[in-house]
Amino acid sequence: MRAARLIRLVLLLQSRPSMTGAELARELEVSERTVTRDVAALSEAGVPVYADRGRSGGYRLVGGYRTRLTGLGRTEAEALFLSGVPAALRGMGLADAASAARLKVSAALLPELRDASHSAAQRFHLDAPGWWQEPETPELLPAVADAVWDDRRITARYRRRETEVERELEPYGLVLKAGVWYLAARIHTAGDFRVYRVDRFSAVAPTAAAANGHGNHGRHGRFERRADFDLPAFWEERAAQFARSLLREKVVLRLTGEGARRLPYVTDRTAGQEAVVAAEEPDGRQGRITVTLPVESLEVAYEQLLALGPEVEVLEPPELRERFAVAAARAAELYR
C-alpha cells in the first residue's frame, strides 16, 4: 500500500512544477504528516525531492529527475479506458487504478501537454443517472466487478419477487443503464446468457474450482470466455427485447398530422414510429390516420396519450375510449 502511494507521490511531482504538502495530502488522501514522512523516505531512497520552505513553499523534483515507473499495468490500462465515468469507476473499486494510470500518462507527456487531462475534464462530463434519481452503488458491486475482471465464476443469491434463487454464474460484463447496474452472465450449468440487476444480489462469493480427474483444482474457479461474445451487441439486443416485452396491450388511435409527429415522443419511441409507418393513408376526417399502438398497459397508455390532447382520438378498447371521453368532458366543463 505504501509503495504504491510513494510511486503516486513521485508521479504527481513529476507531472507538475511543485506541490504543497496540503495538495499532496489531498491527492493521496492522507495527512500532511504522512506526506512529510513519505518525502523523507523517498529522499533516503535517492529520489531528489526538494522542499521549499515558507508560506508559498512546497515539494518539487530537482535535477530533471524522471522516473521510469510509468509503464501501465493491465488493471491501470483497463481502468484508463473507463476514466470518463468516474462514478462508475468508484462503484467498481477502480478509482485508484484509474488515478495511477492518469498520473503515469501525464508523467510521460511533454510538459506543454500535461494539462490535457484537466482540459478534457473541463469540457466533457458524463452524468449517467436520470433526473430526480439519487445514484446508489449496490453493496456487492465491487465483488461482482472483481469477478468480471478476473473471469471468475461466482455463486450468487438473487432476489426474484418474493423468493431468492441461487445460481452459479460466469460473469461476462457490467452495464450501467440510467443509474442502474446490470450484470450480463452465463449460467454455468445451463449455458444460456441472462441479465441480472446487481442491486438484487443478496450474496456473491467466488465458486470453488471443481476437481478434475486427477484430483487437482483447475484454474481456481475461472472460466473461459466465449470469443464470440460482444457485450455492446448483447446488451442492445436484450434491451430491445425487454422493451418490447413490456408492451403487452394494444390500443387503436386516430391521429392528426401533429399527433402522428408527437406520438413517438410520448410513448415508446420505436413502437410509436413503427405504428405511424404502418398506418394507412389519411382518412377524409381532417386527414387523420388510424394506428395500432402496443402499450405497456391501459393505465400507462392513458397517462401518456393525455399529453397529445385533441391531436388523438382513442377508438379501442372501449374502456380506454370512455375514460378519455370523461376526461375531455371534465376539461370542457372546467374551461367553459
Side-chain angles (χ1 to χ4, degrees):
M1 187 71 177
R2 190 190 185 196
R5 189 175 71 241
L6 292 176
I7 292 173
R8 287 188 64 198
L9 195 158
V10 173
L11 291 172
L12 282 167
L13 294 177
Q14 186 172 310
S15 64
R16 306 178 194 180
S18 68
M19 295 183 69
T20 66
E23 290 172 334
L24 285 168
R26 186 167 55 252
E27 290 282 353
L28 299 171
E29 299 180 348
V30 296
S31 67
E32 291 188 48
R33 181 172 296 181
T34 298
V35 169
T36 301
R37 289 198 295 264
D38 286 351
V39 168
L42 288 171
S43 297
E44 292 176 4
V47 178
V49 182
Y50 180 77
D52 292 316
R53 304 298 178 185
R55 179 176 298 179
S56 59
Y59 298 98
R60 59 186 175 88
L61 294 173
V62 298
Y65 179 83
R66 305 283 296 177
T67 178
R68 296 182 180 180
L69 299 174
T70 53
L72 292 177
R74 181 175 183 85
T75 301
E76 294 168 345
E78 290 170 336
L80 187 60
F81 284 104
L82 297 173
S83 58
V85 281
L89 284 168
R90 288 194 297 271
M92 291 187 290
L94 293 173
D96 288 343
S99 176
R102 286 193 295 269
L103 284 171
K104 289 182 177 181
V105 170
S106 179
L109 292 174
L110 294 173
E112 60 268 26
L113 298 178
R114 287 179 188 163
D115 67 340
S117 61
H118 176 76
S119 175
Q122 296 307 310
R123 287 164 173 79
F124 176 77
H125 176 70
L126 175 64
D127 186 6
W131 289 105
W132 305 290
Q133 293 181 359
E134 286 294 329
E136 295 184 3
T137 300
E139 181 180 352
L140 295 175
L141 177 60
V144 175
D146 284 345
V148 169
W149 288 114
D150 205 27
D151 293 341
R152 189 182 298 275
R153 290 198 305 275
I154 57 174
T155 300
R157 293 193 62 80
Y158 187 77
R159 293 186 296 273
R160 191 169 62 187
R161 296 184 179 88
E162 301 301 321
T163 63
E164 279 194 353
V165 296
E166 186 171 286
R167 294 281 187 270
E168 186 175 334
L169 303 174
E170 297 175 357
Y172 269 68
L174 285 164
V175 176
L176 179 60
K177 170 72 171 180
V180 180
W181 285 94
Y182 297 90
L183 173 68
R186 182 172 179 265
I187 299 179
H188 181 62
T189 53
D192 59 326
F193 284 89
R194 296 186 185 178
V195 175
Y196 299 87
R197 279 186 58 146
V198 177
D199 59 3
R200 292 181 182 170
F201 285 122
S202 60
V204 171
T207 302
N212 59 28
H214 301 285
N216 298 318
H217 289 269
R219 297 177 58 241
H220 309 291
R222 290 185 173 88
F223 64 92
E224 294 290 340
R225 295 177 67 90
R226 281 181 43 175
D228 60 348
F229 180 79
D230 184 329
L231 180 60
F234 170 82
W235 176 257
E236 182 178 2
E237 177 186 352
R238 290 303 173 93
Q241 290 176 358
F242 175 73
R244 289 185 177 278
S245 71
L246 295 177
L247 307 179
R248 302 183 181 92
E249 303 276 355
K250 288 186 178 181
V251 298
V252 181
L253 313 171
R254 182 177 288 119
L255 299 164
T256 64
E258 177 65 11
R261 184 189 69 81
R262 290 167 50 190
L263 183 66
Y265 298 97
V266 300
T267 63
D268 178 85
R269 182 179 293 267
T270 301
Q273 290 173 338
E274 292 178 350
V276 171
V277 170
E280 298 181 356
E281 292 296 319
D283 58 27
R285 299 175 57 187
Q286 302 175 335
R288 293 181 179 239
I289 61 172
T290 300
V291 304
T292 300
L293 176 72
V295 294
E296 183 175 344
S297 68
L298 297 186
E299 180 66 32
V300 171
Y302 175 75
E303 295 176 357
Q304 292 175 337
L305 295 174
L306 273 179
L308 296 181
E311 310 301 331
V312 60
E313 177 188 359
V314 177
L315 301 181
E316 296 178 14
E319 60 268 35
L320 184 60
R321 179 179 175 85
E322 177 62 23
R323 189 170 180 183
F324 268 83
V326 171
R330 291 178 59 194
E333 180 66 26
L334 182 65
Y335 287 98
R336 180 170 298 170

